[in-house]
Amino acid sequence: MLDLFAGPGGLDVAARFLGFDSIGIEWDRSACETRYVAGLHTIHADVSVMRETRFEEIPKSVDILAGGPPCQSFSVAGRGAGRQALDTVKEFIHRLVYGEAEAEIDKDLQAIGMDPRTALVLEPLRWLLKAIETEGRDPYRVIVLEQVPAVLPLWEVYAEVLRGGEGRLRGVKYEAACWELRTEQFGVPQTRRRAILVARRPGEGAIEPLEATHSRFNVHRDRRGVAQREIFTSDPSTNGPKRWLSMAEALDAASRLSDSPVDVARLRTRGAIDFFVVSNYGSGGDPKKRGRRLSSEPAFTVTGKISRNKVYRNSEEYEAGKPDRFTIPESGVLQTFPHNFPWSGYDQAQQVGNAVPPRLGMHVLSKALRGTPPTKEELAAATTWPAVPASTTENLRVIGCGDHSRCPPDSHKVSGARRKPAP
């Protein structure tokens, strides 16, 4: 699997636990460092530059294309420039497929002043067209893409052109489907919505929607005027999906694993994990109204600002303004990374927030590649990351960053004003 915009490895981690090899392309040096220490094959490069000038370095054995283009310009947490440009991006998708020169397309993208990050949503399509038009290459067998829900209309356009096989696709057609998925319905202890596209070459059967394993969390529960704890800690039904997973359950399970860096003793009261979280973001658009979640509920969407969320054990701590914070390993667990995943480099909270939750990735990739959900054994194994020898890390670092001149410009220049990496 080739993972574009790979970040610290959410999809790569998912692929590894499912038994698939992967190569990630990532421009952020710190995310690459996490990947090297985790033993994930990585190329430290700009995705566009890699496609344009180094495409031949990608092994011909790669037959799965995956990725999540940067979402900041589409996200509701950002300014939304990408959401305003949806119609424009749809037009460029068609222009790419129906044979217009890419140089002209790039020129027009610059002329309209589009946020460069918004234009990156076109990259997976460009990589597919490059593979089709390169002699000796086969089209990707499977394509898996993810983004924030605002991008779902673009994935629908992707699906339409992939089914048609016209223009530069040269008759290469795909079965394609896209959905909006909620992470808590797949065992992720946080509420997060993602737009997913899955495309497969014909002959491998129709693409069936993913079947949720857990129930949906009611984010509007407060409006019902009933105590949260009373509703949401009741036993799950034996007939339907399991109840969603809470922060307390996820953190407690991680803390009990061998040599776990997750230590929730400070969050226990009379033996039970009991706290509430005040979000960094405002509720209902009002920055003064910070949302709250109990430890007996799923977390808010884990973003790069999760280290700013305030954790309190009781109202006395809240009134005194003495909050705790989630550690990086705890934040990773809320994203369903293994408890001992070796976060490295700078901006670790941002790395955690930018990643695809691996457990969701396992469900999506397993359905796309095998037509079935991951097994219970695979999901159980995904809680612990295998030890990686230092020699392996160094070899991966040499492959990915051995020649700094091939890395993104200035990416190895670190200002003394920046904080040092966490040990």
Side-chain angles (χ1 to χ4, degrees):
M1 181 181 81
L2 176 64
D3 186 7
L4 307 179
F5 314 102
L11 284 176
D12 302 76
V13 168
R16 178 72 63 88
F17 282 122
L18 293 175
F20 293 91
D21 293 327
S22 68
I23 300 171
I25 302 177
E26 174 55 40
W27 73 270
D28 181 75
R29 178 193 175 199
S30 290
C32 287
E33 187 58 26
T34 291
R35 295 176 60 86
Y36 299 147
V37 179
L40 298 173
H41 295 281
T42 306
I43 301 174
H44 184 200
D46 179 279
V47 165
S48 301
V49 173
M50 195 76 198
R51 170 180 52 81
E52 293 167 355
T53 65
R54 301 172 60 188
F55 187 77
E56 74 283 352
E57 295 180 30
I58 303 302
K60 294 181 180 179
S61 58
V62 167
D63 63 351
I64 304 161
L65 180 68
C71 70
Q72 289 91 337
S73 60
F74 292 101
S75 174
V76 295
R79 296 181 179 179
R83 287 174 284 150
Q84 298 170 11
L86 282 175
D87 289 340
T88 303
V89 177
K90 290 178 184 178
E91 175 189 344
F92 279 99
I93 290 174
H94 287 285
R95 289 176 64 179
L96 276 172
V97 169
Y98 290 100
E100 191 167 341
E102 292 202 28
E104 288 298 316
I105 291 175
D106 291 335
K107 181 179 177 181
D108 288 349
L109 283 169
Q110 294 177 0
I112 63 176
M114 179 178 288
D115 186 326
R117 296 172 301 179
T118 303
L120 289 175
V121 78
L122 299 170
E123 276 299 321
L125 178 58
R126 292 185 181 219
W127 275 80
L128 171 60
L129 295 173
K130 184 82 171 184
I132 291 172
E133 295 171 349
T134 300
E135 186 176 355
R137 294 274 178 170
D138 293 324
Y140 301 111
R141 178 174 60 89
V142 180
I143 301 171
V144 177
L145 304 177
E146 67 84 32
Q147 249 281 9
V148 294
V151 177
L152 189 61
L154 297 184
W155 288 165
E156 290 170 346
V157 176
Y158 258 68
E160 176 187 343
V161 299
L162 291 175
R163 294 187 195 109
E166 298 179 355
R168 292 174 63 191
L169 290 169
R170 299 181 179 181
V172 176
K173 296 183 180 182
Y174 288 83
E175 301 283 348
C178 41
W179 319 278
E180 180 182 306
L181 302 180
R182 296 175 180 271
T183 57
E184 80 270 19
Q185 292 190 275
F186 295 90
V188 180
Q190 67 168 297
T191 53
R192 186 189 197 109
R193 297 181 298 138
R194 305 304 291 178
I196 304 293
L197 166 74
V198 172
R200 292 195 305 228
R201 295 300 309 280
E204 299 192 33
I207 299 173
E208 300 292 339
L210 277 70
E211 184 175 345
T213 58
H214 292 68
S215 60
R216 178 175 170 179
F217 178 72
N218 180 11
V219 296
H220 302 298
R221 63 209 178 283
D222 289 336
R223 299 178 185 177
R224 299 177 180 271
V226 183
Q228 300 172 32
R229 195 181 298 272
E230 179 181 337
I231 299 175
F232 294 105
T233 57
S234 58
D235 292 333
S237 168
T238 58
N239 298 322
K242 300 178 183 178
R243 191 204 64 184
W244 37 259
L245 192 68
S246 72
M247 290 183 279
E249 291 167 321
L251 294 173
D252 185 52
S255 71
R256 296 176 185 275
L257 296 172
S258 177
D259 299 321
S260 178
V262 176
D263 183 0
V264 292
R266 72 191 192 286
L267 300 176
R268 293 186 186 277
T269 301
R270 292 185 293 277
I273 297 177
D274 190 10
F275 61 86
F276 64 93
V277 181
V278 178
S279 172
N280 177 59
Y281 294 103
S283 178
D286 185 349
K288 295 181 180 179
K289 295 181 179 179
R290 306 292 182 180
R292 293 192 186 193
R293 290 280 174 90
L294 298 177
S295 55
S296 56
E297 299 175 326
F300 295 105
T301 298
V302 175
T303 72
K305 303 297 187 292
I306 187 171
S307 58
R308 298 183 186 179
N309 287 353
K310 299 178 180 179
V311 180
Y312 300 95
R313 289 181 301 173
N314 50 54
S315 58
E316 288 77 17
E317 289 184 351
Y318 177 74
E319 294 297 334
K322 296 181 178 180
D324 202 333
R325 309 280 182 173
F326 288 126
T327 66
I328 293 299
E330 290 165 358
S331 300
V333 166
L334 297 179
Q335 276 279 58
T336 63
F337 275 87
H339 72 288
N340 60 335
F341 194 70
W343 300 101
S344 304
Y346 297 95
D347 304 321
Q348 293 180 15
Q350 193 67 50
Q351 291 184 50
V352 174
N354 285 349
V356 179
R359 190 177 180 104
L360 178 67
M362 290 180 69
H363 280 277
V364 172
L365 288 176
S366 184
K367 191 71 170 181
L369 303 178
R370 308 187 300 200
T372 59
T375 66
K376 292 181 179 179
E377 291 75 17
E378 287 169 335
L379 292 172
T383 58
T384 300
W385 193 247
V388 176
S391 58
T392 298
T393 291
E394 184 54 34
N395 288 337
L396 291 173
R397 191 180 288 121
V398 169
I399 293 170
C401 288
D403 181 352
H404 290 183
S405 69
R406 309 193 79 182
C407 297
D410 300 327
S411 62
H412 285 267
K413 295 180 180 179
V414 179
S415 169
R418 297 179 68 186
R419 58 184 173 84
K420 295 181 180 180

